[in-house]
Amino acid sequence: MSHCRPYSGTFTGEAGPSGRIPPRSEIPQEYTWNLEAVFPSADEWEESFLLLGGEMERLGGYCGRLFESPETLLEFLKLEEAASERLGKLYAYAVMKSHEDTADAARQARADRAGTLLAAYGAALSFYRPEVLAAGQEKVNGAIEGCSALGKYRHHFDDLLRTAGHVLGLQEEEILARSGEIARTPENAFSLLTNADLTFPVILDEAGRETELSEERYYLLSRSKDRRVRKDAFEGLFTTYGKYRNTLAALYSGSVKSDLFYSRARKYPSALEASLHGDNISPSVYSMVVDTVNRNLDALHGYMALRKKALGLEELRMYDLNVPLADEPETRILYGKAVEMVTDGLAPLGAEYLDVLKKGFSSRWIDVFENQGKRKGAYSWGSYGTHPYMLLNYNGTLRDVFTIAHEAGHSLHTWFSHAGQPQVYADYTIFLAEVASTTNEALLLESLLEKAPKEEKIFLLNHYLDQVRTTVYRQTMFAEFERETHSLAEKGEALTAELLCALWKELNERYHGPEMVLDDALSVEWARIPHFYSAFYVYKYVTGFAAAGCLSSNILRGGEEERRRYIRFLSRGSSAYSLDILREAGVDMTSPVPLEQTLRSFREKTALLEELLEQGS
């Protein structure tokens, strides 16, 4: 899910926003999504809600009976798919409807009911996995051989049975399930402490006005052209976290110990292997990411030197990394023009892709503009049996054009996946989730760079380089931190605030290189990263970015065969393991080659940006 800045004005047609934020009633219908295609009315949603209750009851009746006969198993799977499709529509409609106006109590209540229904559905089907695992491979194979219609579920069953060696007895599983709420305590406490209890100081903005610092405001302040503002925001934020470093270290240590507890209970060699097992990823892939990026740290050091020179600084500090080296073009891009830019940028994907893209733009798949009470940011969503939907808050900036391309990538991945797969494989994995969206951004970037005037080209190159810095280098640094902390804990080391701060400082010194002067306050930055409470997740941002860079390069250099392979990639859903799906598309993420290609592009674009900056000096 990506985020774009909302526009702060009323809709005035294609001239763009101005003045107050409009009520939804003032947004022309063609710029709103058509949720009536899912349920024509709230009454029909209610009728479907009641029908699902009956379907859940019937599904529960299969408990203990799944392997009475192959036909019984098939009956259950077909009923479950129909019920799951209904549930997906109920949940997606309710939540997206609530996002149209988050202040509407009736819509929020319906979304809450949908969430409760989702949990109840999971509980009603909780018998399925244990029953299949208890049956074992031989009985499952026998059922498939006895009923040819079960053949399409073979990968589904193989993937499920792959975990058999890490599933315990019924009583032990119940204990682990009940312990889940306790295990979430560190994350919940971290969220409450950092979102509700921490208070940050007041600083002065560029105009000398008092501004209360917050996590939400920090990013914008860190982009200020006034270095004093950036420094004050940096020190205000990190000094505050530093006051609570011992508490935050205890919370993070508790989260790591929870990871260790579950990995050991399920007989995994390490917490890392336990985390990667679900995607059938070897720890060697994780190590490849860290090792490859470490071999190419000199490229990041070179970009740090360029930043220091471009900003005219005697010393480069961490609070100098977000300030743009060029202003974003001020000319407002009309939404129609943005659609045209995205369509042109994605032309290398071919007619089949563009036909679906244009259908999405013209058939009300997208909720375009901000209105009073609308959810902020941007996302792509939908469910099996519906077309995808996109929520935007389009503001006419170049960044917003990239957001359209990004979310369109998610939406068309969903569309092709749903069209190409039965429901059991229709949803792609998290490992693949950012590949299509980032491929679209890469293609759009190359298209815009070809036509951009010099100042816009500088902005685009800066935008790309900072994407690599924050997505490839920074997330790999996060991944290395997680691997080291879990390894230390597995050896019996205590994760004290002193140890964590020292490790964080060492990583930042190594990654950012000799041009960076590190302030002591930065050492506590680990304490503000929420992703660390979902261990070993962030490396997927790196693999997704690298895979997308490889795919976009193949598409731009290739022809019909490369387009065909890409459409097939989009159509595969989860019908095979993620690494195999990428390999079919021409990307081997067990190899360092895709990541090395991304880092080579980073070097080339750093050199091009330096050349353009020198021309203007």
Side-chain angles (χ1 to χ4, degrees), residues 148 309 313 331:
S148 60
K309 181 180 177 182
L313 300 173
T331 304

Side-chain angles (χ1 to χ4, degrees), residues 5-272:
R5 289 174 288 174
Y7 78 89
S8 53
T10 186
F11 183 83
T12 57
E14 273 294 286
S18 63
R20 67 187 177 91
I21 299 174
R24 190 167 183 83
S25 59
E26 292 183 11
I27 305 292
Q29 187 182 68
E30 62 265 31
Y31 298 108
T32 64
W33 55 22
N34 178 24
L35 295 183
E36 286 69 33
V38 185
F39 289 104
S41 69
D43 288 342
E44 292 184 60
W45 184 90
E46 294 289 351
E47 290 173 14
S48 190
F49 188 97
L50 293 173
L51 287 172
L52 183 59
E55 290 170 339
M56 287 165 58
E57 212 173 301
R58 295 211 304 279
L59 286 167
Y62 285 86
C63 181
R65 299 179 43 231
L66 287 178
F67 289 89
E68 281 183 353
S69 69
E71 290 72 26
T72 302
L73 181 58
L74 183 62
E75 282 174 12
F76 169 82
L77 291 169
K78 286 185 172 180
L79 177 59
E80 193 281 327
E81 287 177 338
S84 179
E85 181 173 339
R86 186 185 302 280
L87 174 66
K89 291 177 179 178
L90 285 165
Y91 187 69
Y93 174 89
V95 175
M96 286 192 287
K97 202 73 178 170
S98 75
H99 289 167
E100 293 178 356
D101 184 357
T102 58
D104 187 309
R107 296 183 188 205
Q108 299 312 310
R110 185 165 53 223
D112 287 344
R113 289 171 61 206
T116 301
L117 183 65
L118 186 68
Y121 187 83
L125 268 71
S126 61
F127 67 89
Y128 174 69
R129 184 168 180 262
E131 201 164 320
V132 173
L133 291 172
Q137 190 77 59
E138 188 175 342
K139 191 171 280 191
V140 168
N141 287 344
I144 293 173
E145 289 166 9
C147 179
S148 60
L150 287 171
K152 73 175 181 181
Y153 299 98
R154 185 177 292 279
H155 176 68
H156 164 74
F157 285 124
D158 286 347
D159 191 37
L160 201 161
L161 289 164
R162 187 173 56 83
T163 65
H166 304 287
V167 176
L168 310 180
L170 288 176
Q171 287 187 329
E172 290 92 340
E173 285 292 333
E174 184 178 352
I175 291 170
L176 289 184
R178 290 182 184 277
S179 70
E181 190 171 355
I182 301 171
R184 286 190 292 273
T185 299
E187 182 179 9
N188 292 339
F190 167 83
S191 179
L192 288 170
L193 176 61
T194 56
N195 291 314
D197 294 343
L198 254 61
T199 54
F200 298 96
V202 171
I203 67 168
L204 300 179
D205 67 11
E206 293 88 339
R209 296 180 298 247
E210 289 191 344
T211 300
E212 186 176 354
L213 188 60
S214 68
E215 277 282 4
E216 289 72 24
R217 292 176 178 176
Y218 175 70
Y219 177 69
L220 287 176
L221 292 166
S222 74
R223 294 174 62 81
S224 172
K225 291 183 180 179
D226 187 330
R227 198 175 191 221
R228 191 269 309 162
V229 172
R230 302 198 304 269
K231 181 175 184 288
D232 288 353
F234 174 88
E235 291 179 345
L237 189 83
F238 289 110
T239 300
T240 301
Y241 276 100
K243 293 175 183 176
Y244 298 90
R245 62 184 179 276
N246 292 315
T247 300
L248 287 159
L251 292 176
Y252 179 60
S253 177
S255 180
V256 171
K257 287 175 179 176
S258 174
D259 296 334
L260 267 58
F261 168 75
Y262 286 110
S263 66
R264 288 166 175 170
R266 295 199 177 279
K267 303 179 177 64
Y268 287 99
S270 67
L272 175 60

Side-chain angles (χ1 to χ4, degrees), residues 296 298-300 302-303 306 445-446 449 457-458 460-462 464-465 468 473 549 552-553 556-557 593-613:
N296 288 274
D298 64 302
L300 181 60
Y303 180 51
L306 176 58
L445 175 70
E446 294 302 327
L449 280 172
K457 191 168 287 190
I458 291 173
L460 290 166
L461 289 168
N462 184 191
Y464 170 80
L465 294 172
V468 177
Y473 283 105
S552 61
S553 178
L556 288 171
R557 291 199 316 263
V593 171
L595 192 47
E596 287 171 345
Q597 182 174 315
T598 294
L599 297 173
R600 188 162 56 249
S601 174
F602 180 78
R603 292 176 189 274
E604 292 167 355
K605 286 182 169 58
T606 300
L608 178 56
L609 177 58
E610 185 169 21
E611 182 184 328
L612 290 172
L613 289 171

Side-chain angles (χ1 to χ4, degrees), residues 350-455:
E352 184 178 2
Y353 190 95
L354 290 185
D355 285 348
V356 180
L357 180 70
K358 291 172 182 176
K359 182 179 181 181
F361 283 138
S362 63
S363 303
R364 295 184 60 203
W365 290 13
I366 308 171
D367 208 75
V368 179
F369 294 106
E370 184 182 20
N371 59 251
Q372 291 174 17
K374 182 178 172 181
R375 183 196 185 279
K376 305 307 179 190
Y379 64 68
S380 170
W381 203 9
S383 67
Y384 195 77
T386 77
H387 61 67
Y389 287 92
M390 291 164 52
L391 180 138
L392 304 174
N393 280 280
Y394 185 75
N395 191 30
T397 68
L398 195 53
R399 290 180 187 275
D400 291 347
V401 180
F402 276 98
T403 297
I404 295 173
H406 183 98
E407 301 306 339
H410 284 308
S411 287
L412 267 72
H413 194 178
T414 298
W415 192 92
F416 280 104
S417 181
H418 286 191
Q421 296 298 329
Q423 189 181 3
V424 64
Y425 305 127
D427 293 325
Y428 42 85
T429 65
I430 297 296
F431 189 86
L432 299 178
E434 293 300 325
V435 174
S437 55
T438 310
T439 297
N440 276 15
E441 286 198 71
L443 292 171
L444 176 61
L445 175 70
E446 294 302 327
S447 171
L448 296 178
L449 280 172
E450 277 185 23
K451 310 163 191 170
K454 179 184 170 184
E455 281 304 309

